[in-house]
């Protein structure tokens, strides 16, 4: 089960990152071109939200069945174990909270520019945090 979950978590990460990148780029383009916020823009952001939340759920399950997760939690002197047992889950959780806040904030806004700006900031920060804590040596 661990091997399957690890591969699924890594594979789904490509999709989640792609969706998040598309949402950020779409928000920046919408903001700079001053276009109207449409249902298509909302769906792009929603798919990114769903993709990252799915990744979080897979990651939480993997964390508790992985030998690099909970079992290695106390070994902070080893950089690789610290990354997989503490930094990766914590920073990615913070990133997904930011993405969720961005989604929630956009629903209260009326102005298209404000909606695009909210997505660009919150989803962009989430994307940067996620990219900063990917265990690249385990990914490729």
């Amino acid at each position: 089960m661990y091997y399957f979950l690890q591969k699924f978590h890594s594979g789904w990460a490509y999709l989640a990152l792609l969706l998040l990148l598309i949402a950020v780029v779409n928000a920046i383009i919408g903001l700079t071109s001053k276009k109207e916020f449409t249902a298509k823009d909302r769906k792009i952001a929603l798919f990114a939200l769903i993709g990252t939340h799915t990744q979080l759920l897979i990651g939480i399950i993997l964390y508790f069945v992985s030998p690099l997760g909970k079992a290695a939690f106390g070994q902070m002197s080893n950089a690789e174990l610290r990354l997989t047992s503490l930094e990766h889950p914590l920073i990615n959780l913070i990133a997904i909270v930011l993405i969720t806040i961005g989604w929630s904030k956009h629903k209260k806004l009326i102005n298209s520019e404000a909606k695009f700006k909210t997505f660009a900031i919150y989803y962009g920060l989430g994307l940067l945090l996620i990219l900063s804590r990917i265990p690249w040596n385990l990914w490729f």
Side-chain angles (χ1 to χ4, degrees), residues 13-64:
Y14 288 109
L15 179 62
L17 285 172
L18 178 65
L19 291 169
L20 193 53
L21 181 64
I22 290 169
V24 170
V25 169
N26 183 63
I28 292 170
I29 290 171
L31 185 61
T32 57
S33 66
K34 307 234 186 265
K35 72 174 197 163
E36 218 33 57
F37 190 84
T38 64
K40 178 191 76 120
D41 300 312
R42 186 184 134 296
K43 287 177 185 172
I44 289 171
L46 179 61
F47 288 146
L49 178 80
I50 292 169
T52 55
H53 277 88
T54 303
Q55 180 70 355
L56 173 67
L57 291 175
I58 298 165
I60 288 171
I61 295 167
L62 181 62
Y63 184 78
F64 288 104

Side-chain angles (χ1 to χ4, degrees), residues 32-135:
T32 57
S33 66
K34 307 234 186 265
K35 72 174 197 163
E36 218 33 57
F37 190 84
T38 64
K40 178 191 76 120
D41 300 312
R42 186 184 134 296
K43 287 177 185 172
I44 289 171
L46 179 61
F47 288 146
L49 178 80
I50 292 169
T52 55
H53 277 88
T54 303
Q55 180 70 355
L56 173 67
L57 291 175
I58 298 165
I60 288 171
I61 295 167
L62 181 62
Y63 184 78
F64 288 104
V65 299
S66 170
L68 297 175
K70 185 181 169 210
F73 191 71
Q75 300 181 17
M76 296 297 116
S77 61
N78 183 325
E80 186 175 314
L81 290 177
R82 184 178 62 243
L83 175 65
T84 56
S85 68
L86 178 67
E87 293 172 2
H88 176 74
L90 180 63
I91 297 300
N92 287 331
L93 182 63
I94 293 168
I96 293 172
V97 166
L98 285 172
I99 292 165
T100 307
I101 290 170
W103 175 259
S104 297
K105 286 180 76 86
H106 107 277
K107 293 190 283 186
K108 298 174 186 161
L109 301 171
I110 299 169
N111 183 352
S112 291
E113 183 180 352
K115 288 185 180 201
F116 283 124
K117 186 176 182 181
T118 299
F119 282 130
I121 292 171
Y122 285 93
Y123 279 43
L125 286 173
L127 178 61
L128 288 175
L129 286 174
I130 290 169
L131 289 174
S132 76
R133 290 295 157 233
I134 291 176

